[in-house]
Amino acid sequence: MCGIIGYIGESSAAENLLDGLKNLEYRGYDSAGIALNDNNRLKIFKAAGKLNNLCQIIRTEPRENTVAECGIGHIRWATHGLPNLENAHPHRSADGNLALVHNGIIENYLELRKELSADGYHFTSQTDTEAIVHLIDRELKNGAGFEDAVQNAVRLLDGAFALGIVYRQEPDKLIAVKKNAPLIIGIGQHENFIASDIAALLGKAEKIVRMEDGEIAVIRRGEIKITDFAGKQVMRQPELLQLSAESIDKGGYKHFMLKEIHEQPGIIRALLADGLQIDTGSLRDFNRIEIIACGTSLHAALAAAPLFEDWCRCEVSVQPASEYIYKKQRTGADTLVIGISQSGETADTITALKQAQKSNAQVLVLTNRPDSSIVRYADKVITLQAGIEVSVAATKSYTAQLLRLYQLALALAKDKNFLSSEEISGLHNALRQIPVKIEEILAEEEKIKNVAKKYARFPAMAYIARGQQLPSAMEGALKLKEISYINACAYAAGELKHGPIALLDANMPVAAVLCRQAPTYAKTLSNCEEAKARKAPVIIFSDQIPQGNFDDIVLLPQNCEEFAPLTEAAALQLFAYFIADELGREIDQPRNLAKSVTVE
Ligand code: F6R
């Protein structure tokens, strides 16, 4: 969360910083700010709320005030302190000579604050970041040069930090620091950048240099010098930036989320054509699997876990990363740990995987970002190849995760010889039908929209399902609550009568997810009848028209129970999307959320 950017070159720093921040906005939108370092003037512009508020300020500013060829920028997702102007970055030293942007968390900031206050420093924000500015300033006041001051100060910091720093007296220089938070350097024509994510560099930089933890980069227009925190020089070759600017374009859709939902058949087709692209032979001997993930990625894990149990006869445990970290585990050398993270930057998942590695477990990571931090903790990596997902709500990365997990379970089942070759080829055939089935759902988009519109004004909704369909219901409820702010909860359908049924009345619709092939189909349908008997409106998502008198039916293409979560996902995503759209929500950037959750 939070995104940082920096620019030094021959053109307008303000324009480059704002362009870059636009592509980082998915990382947070509580406030935005830039600092421009022009000959002898260090100017800071900030605005609470979305980036657009900052853009408006810059637009109305006299041009001479925004002229600069060096600067830093920030987009905030609040951790320490309210999302207001005071706490917005960049933060500056009291004399106005130094400005700094930060992504991450300084764990010892309270001690540093105390120490700096005792030294006479006055704090104007509640952020942990302000302590870093004062630390560097103290070094400068003690006579250190810019680079040494940064080096001395960052050695005193505990926690995670990616920093961009400018100093009024040295406008030909931008300093970047990285430890446990993502940061890359972009190289253009007579200009260089820093950014939290490649997305901010698309269409700007031709090459990139990946910074490693514990490194400081001193960046000039035509020169990049990287050292470690001890000052030892590091040599690293730039890589070509492979992605194009089109990969983060809405392509005519009203929202990125809708575009990304529509990309799913193509992504699945490509994944099926490419295969897993890792050697699973060495994984054959594991009989214990732990899957660790958060949010939507956790739902993908829950959907796939029964297949690893059934096809590979493995003992499988699925755990939210934030819980795994604090629970006694029996992870050991006999365990295959699978970490799933779309962004590859989720702090909870990364911490859990670090812990798993210490227990000598084999770690396999599924991520959409092979350039992300998580891959450092992996023995093997499977990429989702879903393209950059801009919408904060995960859609295409979820179905790509499901598909990859199914491919992995099938590969292990084959290696372990627990399924016959006929069974395996039958399952592969079923997977190959999925893209067409999702296309059929997308073709019925208008029907789903009309159903969704009817449910947009209810204050809450319950999702129910059993067995393999339960993770679909959980994911459907998550999608609805995060983009529409309607309180949605998922329940195992059989649990309804043990408590949640007390909530049901004519104001509490129930969305039920069913698969005709599942042994629980009839039982779940009975639970739907029970909901109807309490006057709850019932919407059925099923691949068979059910008997009974329900309010709405979203008919899905017929699917086997194992792979039904893929088709169910597409329909439930559209349902949530159209409800949120009907309510006029900011679908791609829901309140309080960020795409990369880099704090625990
Ligand atoms: C929901 C959503 C989040 C993420 C979760 C984990 O739409 O996007 O629940 O799934 O924050 O993120 P990753 O997969 O990047 O680790």
Side-chain angles (χ1 to χ4, degrees), residues 294-297 340-344 346 392-394 401 478-479 482 597:
C294 304
T296 290
S297 301
I340 312 176
S341 174
Q342 181 283 127
S343 64
T346 299
V392 165
Q401 286 166 349
L478 178 64
K479 286 289 90 86
E482 65 185 340
V597 187

Side-chain angles (χ1 to χ4, degrees), residues 212-227:
E212 296 289 339
D213 286 338
E215 288 182 351
I216 301 176
V218 178
I219 300 164
R220 292 186 167 84
R221 194 173 290 170
E223 186 194 69
I224 297 164
K225 188 183 95 195
I226 304 179
T227 60

Side-chain angles (χ1 to χ4, degrees), residues 258-568:
L258 190 58
K259 177 191 172 218
E260 288 160 4
I261 291 172
H262 277 261
E263 283 173 350
Q264 294 177 110
I267 292 166
I268 293 175
R269 246 183 219 113
L271 291 179
L272 288 168
D274 287 356
L276 259 188
Q277 296 186 329
I278 62 155
D279 170 25
T280 52
S282 61
L283 307 178
R284 175 184 314 152
D285 298 329
F286 289 104
N287 293 320
R288 244 184 80 68
I289 298 180
E290 286 174 353
I291 316 184
I292 301 171
C294 304
T296 290
S297 301
L298 182 69
H299 296 155
L302 289 168
L307 306 187
F308 287 99
E309 279 164 350
D310 189 19
W311 298 343
C312 316
R313 315 238 175 111
C314 286
E315 181 198 324
V316 184
S317 105
V318 176
Q319 303 188 52
S322 53
E323 292 297 314
Y324 177 93
I325 299 165
Y326 301 102
K327 246 169 71 184
K328 253 203 165 137
Q329 303 293 341
R330 49 165 295 229
T331 315
D334 66 335
T335 316
L336 172 64
V337 171
I338 304 178
I340 312 176
S341 174
Q342 181 283 127
S343 64
E345 300 294 349
T346 299
D348 288 326
T349 313
I350 290 178
T351 307
L353 293 191
K354 277 186 199 166
Q355 216 165 290
Q357 256 194 346
K358 278 197 199 128
S359 338
N360 290 325
Q362 272 267 343
V363 176
L364 169 66
V365 157
L366 263 74
T367 182
N368 200 29
R369 304 299 295 267
D371 53 336
S372 63
S373 309
I374 206 167
V375 299
R376 275 194 225 119
Y377 309 102
D379 298 299
K380 283 188 191 299
V381 178
I382 297 178
T383 55
L384 302 178
Q385 295 171 25
I388 290 186
E389 191 173 59
V390 178
S391 165
V392 165
T395 53
K396 61 178 181 174
S397 63
Y398 175 63
T399 43
Q401 286 166 349
L402 286 175
L403 204 277
R404 281 311 203 193
L405 287 165
Y406 295 156
Q407 287 179 313
L408 180 65
L410 279 169
L412 286 183
K414 187 170 174 215
D415 292 339
K416 282 172 172 280
N417 256 326
F418 287 136
L419 290 183
S420 68
S421 50
E422 290 75 34
E423 284 170 313
I424 290 182
S425 80
L427 287 161
H428 275 297
N429 271 340
L431 269 185
R432 276 192 283 275
Q433 317 298 318
I434 296 292
V436 173
K437 290 181 199 245
I438 297 182
E439 276 160 357
E440 285 171 29
I441 294 170
L442 299 178
E444 296 289 313
E445 191 174 280
E446 276 303 305
K447 280 193 193 155
I448 299 180
K449 181 176 177 175
N450 290 334
V451 174
K453 277 177 159 181
K454 289 166 58 179
Y455 295 93
R457 311 284 160 194
F458 285 91
M461 198 171 308
Y463 283 66
I464 60 167
R466 289 178 185 239
Q468 295 270 102
Q469 276 51 65
L470 184 53
S472 295
M474 294 164 82
E475 176 58 11
L478 178 64
K479 286 289 90 86
L480 185 66
K481 68 188 140 203
E482 65 185 340
I483 60 168
S484 73
Y485 318 144
I486 291 175
N487 182 8
C489 284
Y491 303 102
E495 279 293 299
L496 205 59
K497 58 187 174 295
H498 297 292
I501 200 163
L503 297 169
L504 300 190
D505 62 15
N507 285 319
M508 178 81 162
V510 172
V513 189
L514 294 106
C515 173
R516 82 191 195 296
Q517 242 196 24
T520 54
Y521 179 85
K523 284 260 165 33
T524 312
L525 214 49
S526 305
N527 301 131
C528 296
E529 293 287 2
E530 287 154 21
K532 251 328 318 159
R534 270 77 191 174
K535 299 201 169 59
V538 174
I539 316 134
I540 305 270
F541 291 84
S542 170
D543 58 350
Q544 173 165 286
I545 297 188
Q547 302 219 321
N549 188 17
F550 300 107
D551 297 81
D552 282 291
I553 295 165
V554 175
L555 188 62
L556 308 174
Q558 292 202 343
N559 210 341
C560 62
E561 190 192 357
E562 292 87 342
F563 302 144
L566 283 165
T567 37
E568 289 156 2

